[in-house]
Amino acid sequence: LAGWWRGMGCKESKVDDVIVAARIVRTVCRLGADCDKRHSDVLHLTKFSHPGDPDYYPRERCRFCEDCVERSRNQVHCERFSHPGDEDYSGPRKACSRGQDCKDRDPKHLRRFQHPWEDGKAAGDAEGRPQMPPRKACKFGLRCFRRCDDHLAEFSHPGDMDYRRGLVSFEDGALPEFETLRQLFDFCDPRGHGNLVGKEDLRAALCLLASYREAGALDLERAWRSLAGEAQGFVGFGKFAAWAPKVGACLPVGVELRAPSEIVVLSCGYSFPDGRRCDCRSFCLEADDSSQPPPQPPPPAVAPPGTAAAAEGEEGSGEANGKAADGPRKRTSTASSGSLRRGTSCHFCTCGHKRSVHAERVDGPAGASSSTAPAVPVPEHWPQVAGAGALAALGIDSGSELVRLDELAVARFQKLFEHTHKASDNWTRDRGCALHHHACLAQDPMCTFRNKGEVPTGYRVIAVMRNVNHKLWSYYALTRGAIAKECAAENWGHHPPFQAIDAVETHGSLSQDSPTAPGCNEWLLFHGTSPGNCDKICEQNFRLSLAGRGATWKEPEDQRGTPLYGDGVYFADRITKADEYSEMVQAGNRFAGCHTVIISRVLGGRTQYCDTNEIDPAALQKQVVTGPFHSVFGDRVAKLKKPYKEVVVYDSTQCYPEFIVYYKRLYS
């Protein structure tokens, strides 16, 4: 500390005189993960910590448990002790009075009372939380017609949130079956991370995928390398869905590949017992008005006695033959439509079949199976590049092409730069030293603070290039569809609810040049880098292995720094922050004298909001890769009064580098 103070120019200070600020620890919120204010009430967040916060710590268990009389009237007592029903409570619970017949799936109820299906007094998941009783897999699977709440509460079907490996039991000869790649992927992701974490999850996916291809089994090690598992330690859905058709897997993707503003046709994939497919060609959400019943499906062909189809029809008369004769029935109201165990089963089409069996398909000739994987459509706002449409329709990569935008578009980007420029309180140490840039870090780290690099007072946009890369867009569109589906799904597995974040400076900008999709926190953000790296990124996307090697603060003699939020891809919502990492185009090249910045589409999804200085980079990254979040939103402005916010993702398929902007720095 003495050396640091002397480096800052102080000659009189002593180490003993330095007053170290005490760490402020917030009170633990007694509602835990069930608190409704944890994502919206700033004043509440300044006083209370919640599960996932760095300063969150579990309370002691109250020795009076359910009989405590202070829990409803003494706030100080509840701040210190946990009780049955609280998120951080682990201890004995009273038996539920309804026993085996209990159908209450509210997490608060399950944490408060013991049920016969639990093994032991404190049965639960890996984090000590009581689990719901596993449902059985319906033996009719995708062909099941039954829609009453009693059946849906007892049996799980393909597409339901709990139709996952280890969470559903297969009895009476039932086997896993899937209509889409997304359903297969979710089945092998029992914790709902959104990733296949480790080779065991991928091994399970390959075993199931082998039954949907003619060539048979797949090699685990080869697939792990092809899907960048060695580099990342996990496999995301975007790369998995793009890789599966290449190895001959004939399944539709199962996520919406277009933006909400574009027309999406989701055809039904339900198969009747005689092999015929439902003729519904577009999903239409069923209305609640019982006076308008949905159209009846055609009756199945009569199978000879003794055949498998006949046996299934006789045994499940209410599920197959009975439904075909009587038509799809309206859903009763015996259970809550928001039940966590219902998953996607509460959404039905007017054809009478679940939303989960509808997908975007490319139909072949008449009578042929339409389960082939669809080509990823290009955005409607892309320019008409010669031959690009035909190549995209065939699923062929047409490479990367940079298309220069006109002067009207440049004017819109100029307004964006003016809007996102921070005129005051805008210097950070990543901007470097005015004398040596970043070269003095090894010899004299304090030189940067003594000679702060000058911050531009403005910027002038010279040219804008749009990146048209079908391969990168296919990865991004598949990932966007998957994340949008996860964000729209009902609360499941103690995952936090999705919260739309509009507190980014670029929100609502460039809607004419690059409209963003709602419902998944899709943002346009800045990433500053060198001109050569801009070209490489637009061709190959971001590389997480290079995290910390740029202008990130490094200790002396270190070649690589430790990024604040872990090894990810960092983005800023202000050009002033991204400009710290930008470099100039050298003389003799196009746009010489200009600096470069990438404007990228970024999928925030269900983001982990971080507004504290107590940061554990490894824990944050783990919460995204193996947890319920998709990104980290580092808000260092609201509480810490720092200059900038940052967004971090740990999967390159969550980014699409869409523009390279050439600009010049202005100084007063």
Side-chain angles (χ1 to χ4, degrees):
L1 283 173
W4 187 84
W5 283 111
R6 286 193 296 270
M8 293 297 293
C10 179
K11 300 179 181 179
E12 307 257 339
S13 60
K14 299 180 181 179
V15 176
D16 296 338
D17 297 333
V18 178
I19 300 176
V20 180
R23 179 184 176 188
I24 300 175
V25 180
R26 294 175 293 174
T27 303
V28 174
C29 179
R30 64 187 183 90
L31 299 179
D34 298 323
C35 178
D36 296 331
K37 300 181 180 180
R38 62 181 303 194
H39 298 287
S40 57
D41 193 333
V42 178
L43 182 61
H44 177 80
L45 292 176
T46 60
K47 297 181 179 180
F48 301 97
S49 63
H50 303 80
D53 294 342
D55 58 341
Y56 177 83
Y57 59 92
R59 296 169 291 175
E60 298 180 31
R61 189 182 72 192
C62 179
R63 60 191 180 95
F64 297 104
C65 301
E66 189 69 34
D67 299 325
C68 178
V69 297
E70 299 290 336
R71 64 182 304 185
S72 60
R73 63 186 184 186
N74 192 334
Q75 176 68 23
V76 177
H77 175 81
C78 292
E79 291 175 356
R80 182 176 178 184
F81 299 99
S82 63
H83 302 81
D86 293 341
E87 177 75 16
D88 56 343
Y89 176 81
S90 59
R93 291 170 283 142
K94 279 190 175 182
C96 179
S97 59
R98 287 167 286 187
Q100 188 68 40
D101 298 328
C102 177
K103 295 184 178 180
D104 191 345
R105 300 298 181 258
D106 188 350
K108 294 182 181 178
H109 175 81
L110 295 173
R111 290 195 300 264
R112 186 169 184 176
F113 298 102
Q114 179 79 19
H115 296 82
W117 58 72
E118 299 180 22
D119 298 325
K121 293 185 178 180
D125 58 12
E127 300 177 8
R129 295 177 297 218
Q131 290 184 329
M132 305 174 184
R135 286 193 293 176
K136 298 179 182 179
C138 179
K139 62 182 179 181
F140 295 96
L142 294 170
R143 297 176 290 106
C144 177
F145 262 115
R146 298 190 63 181
R147 302 168 55 192
C148 60
D149 285 339
D150 290 339
H151 176 79
L152 295 176
E154 184 177 0
F155 295 98
S156 180
H157 302 78
D160 289 351
M161 292 299 295
D162 63 335
Y163 194 84
R164 299 173 186 253
R165 181 167 56 96
L167 301 184
V168 62
S169 60
F170 291 90
E171 303 176 7
D172 301 328
L175 294 174
E177 56 179 328
F178 315 99
E179 181 65 22
T180 65
L181 283 172
R182 183 64 196 183
Q183 292 177 6
L184 188 150
F185 187 90
D186 286 342
F187 183 84
C188 301
D189 176 26
R191 300 282 295 172
H193 300 146
N195 298 308
L196 300 181
V197 183
K199 292 184 180 180
E200 289 304 316
D201 287 349
L202 182 59
R203 186 195 307 275
L206 297 183
C207 292
L208 296 170
L209 198 64
S211 60
Y212 294 93
R213 59 191 297 267
E214 298 179 356
L218 292 161
D219 182 74
L220 175 62
E221 296 298 330
R222 184 176 180 180
W224 182 252
R225 291 192 301 270
S226 300
L227 294 168
E230 289 185 350
Q232 298 184 157
F234 64 92
V235 175
F237 177 74
K239 290 187 177 179
F240 180 82
W243 169 82
K246 297 178 182 178
V247 296
C250 296
L251 277 174
V253 176
V255 298
E256 290 157 8
L257 304 176
R258 301 177 187 267
S261 59
E262 302 178 67
I263 299 176
V264 181
V265 179
L266 305 176
S267 61
C268 184
Y270 178 86
S271 297
F272 294 102
D274 63 346
R276 290 176 298 161
R277 215 191 81 189
C278 178
D279 58 0
C280 173
R281 288 294 177 265
S282 178
F283 175 80
C284 182
L285 187 64
E286 180 186 70
D288 292 332
D289 184 9
S290 58
S291 64
Q292 298 294 334
Q296 299 181 3
V302 179
T307 62
E312 291 175 356
E314 293 170 1
E315 186 175 353
S317 58
E319 300 171 22
N321 292 345
K323 278 295 178 182
D326 300 336
R329 291 178 293 181
K330 285 287 179 182
R331 193 172 68 255
T332 59
S333 57
T334 57
S336 172
S337 61
S339 173
L340 299 179
R341 300 304 303 274
R342 294 281 300 281
T344 56
S345 298
C346 59
H347 301 295
F348 287 87
C349 177
T350 53
C351 70
H353 304 130
K354 300 182 183 70
R355 167 65 177 80
S356 58
V357 299
H358 289 72
E360 188 174 0
R361 292 173 173 82
V362 177
D363 291 333
S369 173
S370 61
S371 60
T372 55
V376 177
V378 299
E380 292 181 346
H381 60 271
W382 272 16
Q384 296 296 325
V385 182
L391 291 172
L394 296 174
I396 300 174
D397 178 20
S398 61
S400 175
E401 182 173 351
L402 296 176
V403 180
R404 186 169 182 176
L405 303 188
D406 57 22
E407 292 300 323
L408 293 177
V410 170
R412 291 191 290 269
F413 279 82
Q414 179 65 46
K415 291 182 179 179
L416 174 66
F417 274 48
E418 294 172 357
H419 174 70
T420 59
H421 172 56
K422 188 173 177 61
S424 61
D425 186 24
N426 52 14
W427 185 89
T428 72
R429 64 182 181 181
D430 285 352
R431 185 163 288 278
C433 173
L435 302 178
H436 315 98
H437 196 46
H438 294 97
C440 59
L441 290 178
Q443 293 78 19
D444 186 4
M446 293 300 107
C447 181
T448 301
F449 291 92
R450 294 194 301 267
N451 305 283
K452 295 182 179 180
E454 186 179 2
V455 181
T457 57
Y459 305 93
R460 184 169 73 250
V461 177
I462 303 301
V464 181
M465 311 294 289
R466 182 192 293 275
N467 181 32
V468 179
N469 189 316
H470 293 271
K471 180 180 179 181
L472 298 188
W473 178 258
S474 65
Y475 288 142
Y476 179 81
L478 290 166
T479 303
R480 183 177 65 178
I483 289 180
K485 189 172 183 179
E486 293 172 11
C487 293
E490 299 176 12
N491 188 16
W492 176 82
H494 302 274
H495 287 183
F498 169 76
Q499 294 287 336
I501 296 181
D502 299 334
V504 292
E505 297 297 326
T506 57
H507 177 69
S509 302
L510 302 181
S511 58
Q512 181 175 345
D513 300 281
S514 184
T516 56
C520 60
N521 278 333
E522 183 182 25
W523 304 305
L524 290 172
L525 300 174
F526 297 98
H527 181 90
T529 186
S530 66
N533 286 340
C534 285
D535 294 334
K536 293 179 181 178
I537 290 172
C538 287
E539 183 179 356
Q540 305 172 6
N541 213 337
F542 297 92
R543 293 173 56 187
L544 276 72
S545 60
L546 300 179
R549 298 182 182 274
T552 303
W553 180 266
K554 306 174 182 65
E555 294 295 336
E557 301 180 357
D558 284 350
Q559 298 295 325
R560 184 177 181 275
T562 302
L564 184 63
Y565 300 104
D567 295 337
V569 186
Y570 285 67
F571 298 92
D573 65 340
R574 285 189 178 273
I575 179 58
T576 319
K577 175 62 177 175
D579 179 63
E580 296 179 349
Y581 313 97
S582 178
E583 296 182 15
M584 184 185 295
V585 180
Q586 298 301 317
N589 297 308
R590 191 183 186 189
F591 305 118
C594 294
H595 284 72
T596 54
V597 68
I598 286 179
I599 297 181
S600 176
R601 286 177 179 264
V602 181
L603 290 170
R606 191 185 292 112
T607 186
Q608 170 68 303
Y609 185 81
C610 182
D611 60 354
T612 178
N613 229 2
E614 301 290 335
I615 299 172
D616 185 347
L620 281 176
Q621 189 167 353
K622 184 178 180 181
Q623 288 175 350
V624 173
V625 175
T626 64
F629 300 101
H630 302 110
S631 65
V632 171
F633 190 93
D635 186 355
R636 302 178 61 78
V637 177
K639 291 173 55 178
L640 301 176
K641 306 305 178 183
K642 301 289 185 179
Y644 304 110
K645 306 171 187 175
E646 290 184 285
V647 175
V648 188
V649 297
Y650 305 96
D651 186 354
S652 60
T653 62
Q654 289 179 232
C655 328
Y656 179 75
E658 189 151 14
F659 302 101
I660 299 179
V661 182
Y662 294 87
Y663 66 94
K664 289 188 176 182
R665 294 173 174 175
L666 304 178
Y667 297 93
S668 58

